[in-house]
Amino acid sequence: MTNGWVDIKNADVVFVMGGNPAENHPCGFKWALEAKKTRGAKIISVDPRFQRTAAVADLYAPLRAGTDIAFLSGIIRYALETRRYHADYVKLHTNAAYIVGEKYGFQDGLFSGFDEKKGEYDKTAWGYEPDQKTSAYGVDPTLENPRCVFQMLKKHVDRYTPEMVERICGTPKGQFLKVAEMVTSTGNAEKVGTILYALGWTQHSVGVQIIRTAAMLQLLLGNVGRPGGGVNALRGHSNIQGATDMGGTFDILPGYLKTPSSALPDLATYHDKSTPWTLNKMAWASMNYWSNYPKFMVSLMKTLWGKAATKENDFGYGWLPKIDGNYSWVYMFDDMYRGSSKRAGGEEPAPEGLISFGMNPVGTGPNSLKMVAALSKLKWMVMVENQENETAAFWKAPKELGGADAQKIPTEVYLLPATNFAEKDGTFTNSGRWIQWKWKAVDGPGQSKSDQEIISRLVLALKDLYRKEPGALPEAVLNISWPYTNAANPDLAEVLKEINGKAITDLVEPPKDPKSKDLPKIIKTAGQQLDSFGQLRDDGSTSCGNWLYSGVFTEAGNLSQRRNTGDPMGLGQFHQWAFSWPANRRVMYNRASADAAGKPWDSTRVGIQWNGEKWVGDVPDMKPDAPPGTFGAFIMLPEGVGRLFSPVLNDGPFPEHYEAVEAPVDNVLHPKVSASPVLKRFTSDKDTWGKADEYPIVCTTYRLTEHFHYWTKHQEGGRLNEVQPGIFFEIPEELAKEKGIQNGETVRISSARGSIEGPAMVTKRMSSFVLDGKRVWQIGFPIHWGYSGDAKHVGPLANILTSSAIDPNTWTPEFKAFQVKLEKVGRA
């Protein structure tokens, strides 16, 4: 989230797309209802299904699953055509004025720089055009130059007329125009709108670009950085944000630092490739805060290796693992299944073992049959879980999942019982980036242990093993710093202190005036906790486990435990409640909430404002004493402004509508390039793809309030199991009539990968679409069930049907749009 849960109450328009918060985030959605009640805000729901959010919305529009970019691009076009965008904001706070280089182009579904053999883009073709008279990139403040970002954007979205949106999305033109008019009503200084989304956007082969389109729309409307605005991700768990912040995927380290690759042999090379050093080319001054990257990285390595990390040994950089291929878990399972791994140096043997903490790949991964088959080829697997889930019990998989005879499976499975969230303390970082301490409610049952104890015992045992049998690069293990009072079961408050960071030596600050005779000031003595990431150094004098979290545990104590409800600004920012990264800032990019002179766009909803000496209000996303005009509002970007044109993503600088890998029709914009040309798909015999003539129906999946992901079914006698005891398939009334299916009758849903069965729910909530004269049906069903858990509530795995097509930026599978066929089986 750029903003936060409570901030939703400050919105005039709440645009919900790619999510269903009334059902999946009911406690957070109350703030949308609060905006409606107190501000008269309008709620818009756009979704393949008329769901619970739509039921309380002021406006609902249906769309075909997988066509979100076309819908959003249509709104962008509408805003530009009708001039319902915030012109002053766009000129001041976006890269609309930047001139795009002559190498950039787009034709027939392909951006310039496409390498067909690699299936990748050369992103150097998307650079800005240098000014011939200076070293800076060229700009056109009038936004009239045909190669400026603003004009290039207008040209790119010009194809997304209301009529084209209807052809692609199936949304009736009149309904689309109502949504466009309501959304763009916030394209001015007087109003502000927020966008809420969830997995309905992320789980596509173009998921990143969907979210990027929303960000571009919000930049055009002037809604980023303002109270009541932003692009707000609704995370699926109470601590998904925290897990991501701490390096939840293979290619990032804590604080979104980059995992080193084998092509970067030393720290200097790594820093050079990871740190944006382009300030001399920017059209105006930028803080370019990522220029502090070396401070963040060196401080992290001092936390990892402690005293062993010195300047002479690159602070232990050589001990960090270097990635030489794709280690996302979908790729790992493909390696396991195929029996080999594709790496920079060629093919290597596949992993022999797997350690899984709080993960259920058989349930949550795409193409479940492949997941089960892959696990059957391991030598060993360690599962750390509260319950025996489908992955832990993969060797019990039923025959329809391709389960082999357990006696023929070589994999030795160790199930380590772990405590759940209520049985341990620590922090949750919510969707709004609030780091909140939680206190343990009860002890775990039986022999269960906390995650930190299980990890610590593994670390200590591995250290002992490496002392006895050094092996290759023993320093990487032996030098791990483990400074906790109880090394076998660390207190998580100690861990949070370590994450916050401390001074290793005295930190001194020289006089601001270099001619001054004043002595340097000691701002922190050795051993003291840091106040913020602004105190981090790249010389080894500070340690910090995650630069974004610095400030959460200072000399004042554990700020994540704060529960002060003071709210002097009346905007629900509650700066004395817990701690919000970064720097306890509640709205990111909040410099954009004010105009060029530092005056708030809306005096009734002040983000920050310039009082003549400093920025006041929320914690400023800006150097506090830097007068207006000194730096751009988007301090993490080298340009200092928000990107309407983004030359850094793997699938294009502008979003483009591409069909899902499995779709009912070809792409009407460019039939020869129907799906994204750079999406990733696998080629094993388990990776099969359906054609629309055999699988003509669009299918999508979702979740229910009554279920905690795949967990509720494990609670024997749990009341929520009785409320939603089994799977069902929502089928439009007309389709049911056509197929002769009655409500409650058993149906079979099949994709190119497998089939599942369950009762039909014949409903008005799903509708059909007419696309270029062709009627296209759409159905959906909830995920949750599987073959493990309470025997009364087992059911089919949803992901038997889904494919392994993945987004080229995040490696997220395309769960939300795939093709199926529907058959009647009989009475339930």
Side-chain angles (χ1 to χ4, degrees):
M1 281 187 171
T2 56
N3 294 41
W5 282 111
V6 184
D7 182 71
I8 297 169
K9 74 170 187 174
N10 300 314
D12 296 304
V13 172
V14 180
F15 182 20
V16 185
M17 192 172 173
N20 179 17
E23 182 144 22
N24 300 135
H25 303 84
C27 294
F29 188 64
K30 70 180 180 183
W31 298 110
L33 299 179
E34 184 77 7
K36 187 172 182 176
K37 181 174 70 174
T38 61
R39 296 192 60 84
K42 301 297 183 182
I43 299 175
I44 304 167
S45 173
V46 177
D47 197 85
R49 200 170 52 111
F50 188 86
Q51 20 77 332
R52 287 177 175 173
T53 302
V56 296
D58 297 276
L59 182 59
Y60 166 74
L63 88 164
R64 176 167 61 93
T67 62
D68 305 74
I69 288 177
F71 194 98
L72 293 168
S73 296
I75 299 178
I76 290 176
R77 181 188 182 277
Y78 179 88
L80 295 172
E81 287 290 311
T82 59
R83 297 185 178 274
R84 290 167 70 89
Y85 62 91
H86 194 167
D88 291 340
Y89 181 107
V90 168
K91 290 181 178 180
L92 179 64
H93 294 313
T94 79
N95 67 349
Y98 273 72
I99 308 300
V100 178
E102 292 294 333
K103 290 183 180 180
Y104 168 75
F106 177 80
Q107 186 174 2
D108 298 330
L110 294 173
F111 294 96
S112 53
F114 181 64
D115 185 322
E116 187 172 1
K117 186 176 181 180
K118 293 181 178 179
E120 297 176 352
Y121 282 112
D122 174 7
K123 290 178 280 189
T124 61
W126 306 337
Y128 299 122
E129 186 72 21
D131 188 294
Q132 298 299 317
K133 299 179 181 179
T134 69
S135 61
Y137 290 129
V139 295
D140 173 24
T142 69
L143 307 186
E144 296 295 331
N145 188 305
R147 298 288 302 180
C148 79
V149 167
F150 187 77
Q151 294 297 332
M152 297 294 281
L153 174 60
K154 288 183 70 174
K155 179 182 178 181
H156 188 76
V157 300
D158 190 55
R159 297 160 296 148
Y160 295 97
T161 62
E163 293 78 13
M164 182 58 75
V165 170
E166 183 170 14
R167 285 183 67 188
I168 295 172
C169 305
T171 311
K173 173 183 174 181
Q175 201 70 359
F176 165 76
L177 287 171
K178 288 179 182 178
V179 173
E181 182 180 13
M182 190 175 288
V183 170
T184 59
S185 68
T186 65
N188 50 66
E190 294 74 32
K191 287 191 174 184
V192 66
T194 187
I195 291 180
L196 310 183
Y197 77 92
L199 299 178
W201 274 1
T202 58
Q203 293 181 342
H204 290 277
S205 57
V206 290
V208 167
Q209 289 286 9
I210 297 174
I211 299 161
R212 166 140 177 71
T213 318
M216 291 165 58
L217 174 61
Q218 289 292 74
L219 285 171
L220 284 169
L221 299 177
N223 285 333
V224 178
R226 297 180 61 184
V231 181
N232 293 305
L234 313 181
R235 308 308 296 261
H237 271 292
S238 51
N239 198 36
I240 287 292
Q241 187 64 55
T244 312
D245 298 340
M246 294 306 298
T249 60
F250 80 98
D251 50 351
I252 58 171
L253 300 172
Y256 302 93
L257 304 179
K258 298 175 182 178
T259 305
S261 75
S262 54
L264 306 175
D266 54 62
L267 186 60
T269 307
Y270 170 80
H271 280 159
D272 183 60
K273 293 294 184 181
S274 304
T275 310
W277 299 112
T278 53
L279 291 178
N280 63 317
K281 294 184 179 181
M282 293 306 148
W284 48 82
S286 166
M287 284 189 72
N288 187 26
Y289 209 79
W290 273 122
S291 62
N292 293 293
Y293 194 107
K295 300 176 183 178
F296 309 151
M297 186 64 179
V298 170
S299 296
L300 172 62
M301 291 191 292
K302 287 297 293 183
T303 302
L304 296 176
W305 316 120
K307 293 180 179 178
T310 65
K311 185 176 182 180
E312 290 69 31
N313 63 22
D314 265 358
F315 299 105
Y317 176 81
W319 307 328
L320 281 172
K322 311 297 188 294
I323 54 176
D324 56 357
N326 193 309
Y327 287 86
S328 67
W329 65 276
V330 185
Y331 271 85
M332 287 170 56
F333 272 78
D334 185 62
D335 292 345
M336 287 154 50
Y337 178 71
R338 291 186 304 107
S340 63
S341 303
K342 295 178 181 178
R343 299 291 173 248
E347 291 280 338
E348 296 180 3
E352 294 184 353
L354 174 71
I355 302 177
S356 178
F357 271 85
M359 184 76 170
N360 186 13
V362 170
T364 61
N367 197 354
S368 301
L369 281 73
K370 183 179 178 182
M371 295 286 167
V372 170
L375 293 173
S376 300
K377 297 186 178 186
L378 293 173
K379 289 186 178 180
W380 56 266
M381 179 177 70
V382 177
M383 286 294 298
V384 183
E385 261 298 347
N386 309 139
Q387 307 282 349
E388 185 187 53
N389 61 23
E390 282 75 19
T391 304
F394 79 90
W395 50 277
K396 301 178 185 178
K399 290 183 179 179
E400 59 264 29
L401 272 174
D405 184 343
Q407 294 181 345
K408 298 179 181 179
I409 297 174
T411 317
E412 188 167 5
V413 180
Y414 301 87
L415 178 58
L416 305 185
T419 54
N420 70 21
F421 63 89
E423 297 160 354
K424 55 195 172 193
D425 56 11
T427 62
F428 278 162
T429 303
N430 71 8
S431 299
R433 299 167 286 103
W434 291 17
I435 309 167
Q436 301 179 92
W437 189 266
K438 62 183 181 66
W439 286 266
K440 185 171 78 170
V442 294
D443 291 329
Q447 299 179 52
S448 63
K449 297 184 183 301
S450 67
D451 293 287
Q452 69 263 31
E453 182 173 359
I454 293 171
I455 293 170
S456 296
R457 289 182 180 275
L458 279 171
V459 168
L460 296 175
L462 285 167
K463 279 194 167 197
D464 186 54
L465 186 62
Y466 268 85
R467 290 189 192 98
K468 296 173 183 176
E469 306 172 30
L473 198 65
E475 301 93 336
V477 174
L478 294 176
N479 288 334
I480 293 174
S481 176
W482 213 254
Y484 313 111
T485 304
N486 182 350
N489 188 11
D491 183 336
L492 290 182
E494 282 189 71
V495 178
L496 189 62
K497 287 184 71 173
E498 184 181 43
I499 291 171
N500 177 88
K502 67 180 181 181
I504 296 174
T505 62
D506 290 352
L507 301 184
V508 297
E509 187 176 82
K512 292 183 178 180
D513 183 357
K515 298 180 180 180
S516 172
K517 295 182 179 180
D518 295 339
L519 294 174
K521 178 183 177 182
I522 297 178
I523 58 172
K524 287 291 175 183
T525 58
Q528 282 192 311
Q529 291 292 105
L530 301 178
D531 297 325
S532 74
F533 50 74
Q535 295 172 340
L536 295 176
R537 307 287 173 86
D538 60 6
D539 59 2
S541 60
T542 58
S543 67
C544 177
N546 185 332
W547 71 277
L548 287 171
Y549 280 50
S550 191
V552 68
F553 204 132
T554 66
E555 288 297 309
N558 185 349
L559 302 190
S560 72
Q561 295 182 348
R562 294 185 298 182
R563 294 297 185 267
N564 187 318
T565 57
D567 184 28
M569 297 171 65
L571 295 174
Q573 296 190 343
F574 302 110
H575 288 95
Q576 299 303 312
W577 180 287
F579 182 88
S580 175
W581 71 259
N584 205 32
R585 186 172 298 123
R586 302 295 157 135
V587 177
M588 293 199 290
Y589 318 117
N590 55 32
R591 167 62 185 91
S593 67
D595 65 14
K599 180 182 177 182
W601 297 114
D602 179 0
S603 61
T604 67
R605 287 171 287 195
V606 177
I608 62 172
Q609 59 184 330
W610 179 253
N611 70 0
E613 296 180 352
K614 61 182 180 179
W615 294 97
V616 295
D618 189 10
V619 177
D621 208 348
M622 176 59 55
K623 191 172 182 293
D625 60 353
T630 306
F631 300 115
F634 290 78
I635 67 171
M636 301 306 293
L637 295 177
E639 298 97 324
V641 289
R643 288 172 171 162
L644 295 172
F645 178 90
S646 182
V648 298
L649 297 177
N650 292 331
D651 43 3
F654 284 136
E656 174 66 4
H657 165 68
Y658 293 106
E659 292 288 346
V661 170
E662 294 183 350
V665 294
D666 289 332
N667 194 320
V668 297
L669 296 172
H670 27 76
K672 292 182 179 180
V673 185
S674 193
S676 169
V678 294
L679 66 83
K680 305 301 179 182
R681 65 172 92 190
F682 299 100
T683 57
S684 76
D685 60 346
K686 293 285 187 184
D687 293 293
T688 51
W689 312 92
K691 299 292 185 181
D693 54 353
E694 185 178 358
Y695 302 98
I697 300 171
V698 180
C699 192
T700 192
T701 61
Y702 35 86
R703 293 175 178 172
L704 303 175
T705 305
E706 294 80 6
H707 293 156
F708 181 70
H709 299 271
Y710 288 83
W711 194 43
T712 309
K713 63 188 171 65
H714 289 282
Q715 307 308 302
E716 294 187 19
R719 284 179 290 176
L720 291 179
N721 280 331
E722 306 306 324
V723 177
Q724 292 287 1
I727 197 169
F728 55 86
F729 302 102
E730 293 196 64
I731 300 170
E733 288 180 338
E734 296 87 349
L735 177 60
K737 184 177 180 180
E738 181 181 295
K739 295 282 187 179
I741 297 169
Q742 299 295 317
N743 191 59
E745 286 188 322
T746 300
V747 296
R748 181 182 299 116
I749 310 294
S750 303
S751 75
R753 291 155 294 280
S755 61
I756 58 179
E757 295 182 3
M761 177 186 283
V762 179
T763 178
K764 292 183 172 69
R765 297 192 296 188
M766 304 290 286
S767 58
S768 65
F769 304 103
V770 177
L771 308 177
D772 280 349
K774 177 183 177 181
R775 181 172 292 278
V776 174
W777 298 103
Q778 189 163 251
I779 66 173
F781 62 94
I783 63 171
H784 177 68
W785 293 273
Y787 52 82
S788 70
D790 184 352
K792 295 184 298 182
H793 300 104
V794 296
L797 281 166
N799 286 318
I800 289 175
L801 302 182
T802 57
S803 79
S804 298
I806 57 177
D807 184 290
N809 299 286
T810 60
W811 329 116
T812 301
E814 191 158 58
F815 293 114
K816 296 302 182 185
F818 51 96
Q819 293 298 115
V820 299
K821 62 182 177 182
L822 169 67
E823 301 168 274
K824 176 180 176 179
V825 176
R827 296 298 302 177

